[in-house]
């Protein structure tokens, strides 16, 4: 029977089990998950947090990671600046990045979510406001959410993946995992 694990990846942790090629050791999944045979289904950048799905089922892993399957992934994103609904419209239509046009995203302004404290904290500047948005994508390019928010003039300060398909982070704290 296949095993699927939901993991709340902390900020600064690589979405892999080893970091062999790095001159300075960086935290990896092996510091948190000691389950043989499971691998991440997709990636989450080192400077992003939140839900990472791991499985020992190659077919499921491909289905989660492959954009052809259009599995929805939802992110809570703190952006620099104060976008309004009109500012977010280009993301809903799809924007053109250096690697081509994105698919339309579901995007909405949200109240600041009740999240764990990030270590290190997001930089705070009194003179620059910030807002939270929720973005749901059905593709997964490298650093896509960050590039999309920067494209419309609101750089990402904090990025938390909250949901992958029907799986959600729910009450998992950073560094914690559970079987799906």
């Amino acid at each position: 029977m296949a095993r699927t694990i939901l993991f709340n990846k902390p900020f600064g942790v690589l979405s892999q089990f080893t970091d062999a090629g790095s001159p300075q050791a960086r935290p990896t999944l092996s510091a948190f998950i000691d389950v043989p045979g499971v691998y991440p289904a997709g990636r989450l950048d080192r400077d992003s947090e939140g839900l990472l799905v791991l499985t020992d089922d190659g077919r499921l892993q491909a289905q989660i990671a492959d954009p052809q399957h259009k599995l929805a992934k939802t992110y809570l994103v703190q952006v620099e600046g104060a976008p309004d609904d009109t500012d977010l419209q280009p993301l809903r239509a799809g924007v053109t990045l250096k690697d081509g046009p994105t698919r339309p995203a579901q995007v909405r302004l949200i109240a600041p979510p009740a999240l764990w404290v990030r270590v290190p904290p997001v930089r705070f500047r009194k003179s620059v406001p910030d807002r939270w948005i929720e973005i749901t994508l059905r593709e997964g390019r490298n650093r896509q959410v960050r590039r999309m928010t920067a494209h419309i003039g609101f750089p990402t300060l904090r990025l938390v993946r909250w949901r992958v398909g029907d799986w959600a982070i729910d009450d998992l704290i950073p560094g914690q995992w559970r079987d799906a």
Side-chain angles (χ1 to χ4, degrees), residues 167-179:
W167 297 298
I169 205 165
D170 296 328
D171 57 354
L172 285 176
I173 59 172
Q176 190 178 49
W177 64 270
R178 72 169 177 270
D179 284 292

Side-chain angles (χ1 to χ4, degrees), residues 9-16 26-27 29 42-52 75 118 140-147 156 159-161:
K9 187 191 87 62
F11 179 87
V13 174
L14 296 174
S15 293
Q16 56 198 44
R26 299 176 292 183
L29 299 177
R43 293 185 111 34
L44 195 54
D45 296 327
R46 188 167 65 119
D47 53 356
S48 299
E49 311 161 69
L51 184 59
L52 187 63
Y75 301 84
R118 193 185 89 174
R141 299 185 201 177
N142 186 36
R143 301 183 70 82
Q144 182 174 348
V145 171
R146 293 176 187 281
R147 293 187 298 137
T156 295
L159 180 64
V160 179
R161 183 160 56 200

